Amino acid sequence: MLSNGLRPALPLLTLLALLALLLTLFATPAPAQDRAGAERQFRVWLERTVWPQARAKGVSRRTFDAAFAGVALNWDLPDLVPPGTKPKTPKAQRQAEFGAPGKYFNRGAVDGATRVGRQMAQRHAAALKRVEAKTGVPGRIVLGIWGRESGYGRAAIRHDAFAVLGTKGFMSTRAEYFTDELIAALQIAEAGHVAPRAMKSSWAGALGQPQFMPSSFLAHAADGDGDGRADIWGSQADTIASIGSYLKRHGWVPGRDWGFEVTVPPSVSCTLEGPDQGRPIAEWEAMGIARVSGRPFPAQELRGEGYLLMPAGRHGPAFIVTPNFYVLKAYNMSDLYALFVGHVGDRIRFGMGDFTARWGDVGGLYRSDIAAMQRALERLGHDVGGADGLPGFRTRRSIGRWQEATGRAASCFPDAGVVAALAD
């Protein structure tokens, strides 16, 4: 025993261990969300919020219970906001890159969709012909969408729709939207189109082979095989009919094409792009725009309105598109998506090859960089369509207008130089 009453000094290694423990305790983030508690709150939410809305829409208690039997929250989904937390603000450097447009048309995706699409065109010729006669939508366009959405039904769609929509309705950044879609999914089950456990979706809640959100299913799904149900999971005929129905109800114009690849002379500014700057195709032709094939525009198209589309600005193929192109965009609000569908459809039906013009080596910018550029353009008075980090046609032509106003050659597409110049 020591006479001075002091305790012996701790060995150095012990002190270091204690210091490391303290640092660990202070560095450890707040305890993880009480998932068991969240599951209990989820069940309360289903009873108090979802069930009254579902019952008001004609959903029976039997269907409701079957839909959520064994369903738990899916914690692996993105954009979740668990109870008691706030939405996270993503760091700029972690935001996704905006890829080069040419990557969307990679060799495997285009060739695969074309090859299998030709097989499907033969196998389902009768169903495609019926849909075209009923809706005016060409079979090749239906095939293009079907191939892009689910690989003609070959892509695995494994998620339980009620788990996905329930999770996102209960705790996501767009909870109200997904709650409405959850109610629509219950209505689908109530109508007997598919059993609850067989209602498979993507991670975002899109259903079946055509990837309809539940509300779109209720509005547009069709019975193509005459069995009284619209089964977009197991029936190819129903899938074909449903895609045709969707496009017809969104305004597909029978007898018109979706668009044509063209050459745009330097005298025609890329700032003329956009669906709000349309003019008769005959006028575009008079300005020097010509089809890459060397053939004239079809006579019936010359009288109709057309729109300049340059999805990579001066760094890629250019097109004159028709109102039907924007019907395709109603399926997925992406110029590249609609272009892919039309292009693959043409390859399936007409044996067309690649676009004549090549995609330039552009893209690879962070969405946060593009959003900052968009905000700079907005401060200069340009309408970029919102600072969302995605260079849509309003952003592209705003870049071109700024370039022209500052004595630069108009490219109408963001690159590192444009971003840097606007940041100054």
Side-chain angles (χ1 to χ4, degrees), residues 200-246:
K200 300 300 181 180
S201 78
S202 71
W203 61 266
L207 307 176
Q209 296 185 42
Q211 288 290 274
F212 280 176
M213 291 305 291
S215 58
S216 289
F217 180 102
L218 292 177
H220 308 298
D223 174 15
D225 55 19
D227 67 354
R229 297 185 303 129
D231 178 10
I232 61 173
W233 295 268
S235 171
Q236 294 169 324
D238 289 2
T239 295
I240 290 168
S242 296
I243 294 172
S245 170
Y246 184 100

Side-chain angles (χ1 to χ4, degrees), residues 96-104 336 362-367 370 390-391 413:
E97 292 178 80
F98 180 77
K103 291 181 179 179
Y104 199 90
L336 296 180
V362 291
L365 298 172
Y366 285 112
R367 286 185 62 175
I370 297 177
L390 297 174
F413 201 77

Side-chain angles (χ1 to χ4, degrees), residues 60-72:
S60 67
R61 186 71 206 196
R62 180 178 180 179
T63 296
F64 183 86
D65 290 341
F68 296 108
V71 168

Side-chain angles (χ1 to χ4, degrees), residues 268-281 283-284 287 289 304-310 319-321 323 326 383 392-401 404 412:
V268 177
S269 174
C270 55
T271 64
L272 295 177
E273 183 184 8
D276 54 351
Q277 299 191 100
R279 62 185 71 196
I281 291 180
E283 289 189 19
W284 291 113
M287 294 166 66
I289 290 179
E305 192 166 58
Y307 316 93
L308 181 61
L309 173 73
M310 302 181 75
F319 307 86
I320 292 295
V321 297
Y326 295 99
D383 174 13
F393 75 89
R394 293 184 188 277
T395 294
R396 296 194 294 265
R397 71 189 186 193
S398 293
I399 291 170
R401 288 168 180 169
E404 290 178 348
C412 294

Side-chain angles (χ1 to χ4, degrees), residues 52-177:
Q53 294 182 48
R55 181 175 54 194
K57 292 289 186 179
V59 176
S60 67
R61 186 71 206 196
R62 180 178 180 179
T63 296
F64 183 86
D65 290 341
F68 296 108
V71 168
L73 293 171
N74 184 340
W75 294 88
D76 295 328
L77 298 176
D79 302 321
L80 299 184
V81 186
T85 67
K86 295 181 179 180
K88 295 180 179 179
T89 302
K91 296 181 180 179
Q93 64 268 28
R94 292 179 181 237
Q95 291 184 359
E97 292 178 80
F98 180 77
K103 291 181 179 179
Y104 199 90
F105 293 85
N106 68 79
R107 183 84 278 146
V110 172
D111 287 352
T114 301
R115 182 183 65 256
V116 180
R118 288 171 180 162
Q119 298 170 6
M120 293 297 176
Q122 294 181 346
R123 187 177 304 168
H124 301 288
L128 290 164
K129 186 176 181 180
R130 286 195 302 271
V131 169
E132 185 165 352
K134 184 174 182 179
T135 66
V137 179
R140 73 183 197 277
I141 297 297
V142 172
L143 289 169
I145 288 179
W146 188 15
R148 188 62 183 174
E149 292 295 339
S150 65
Y152 305 100
R154 298 183 176 193
I157 303 171
R158 299 190 180 94
H159 289 281
D160 184 297
F162 289 103
V164 169
L165 296 169
T167 299
K168 285 183 165 287
F170 175 63
M171 56 174 192
S172 80
T173 55
R174 299 175 65 198
E176 183 177 354
Y177 167 77

Side-chain angles (χ1 to χ4, degrees), residues 261 263 285 290-297 356:
E261 187 185 359
T263 56
E285 186 177 52
R291 293 180 67 182
V292 296
S293 64
R295 298 194 301 271
F297 291 101
T356 298

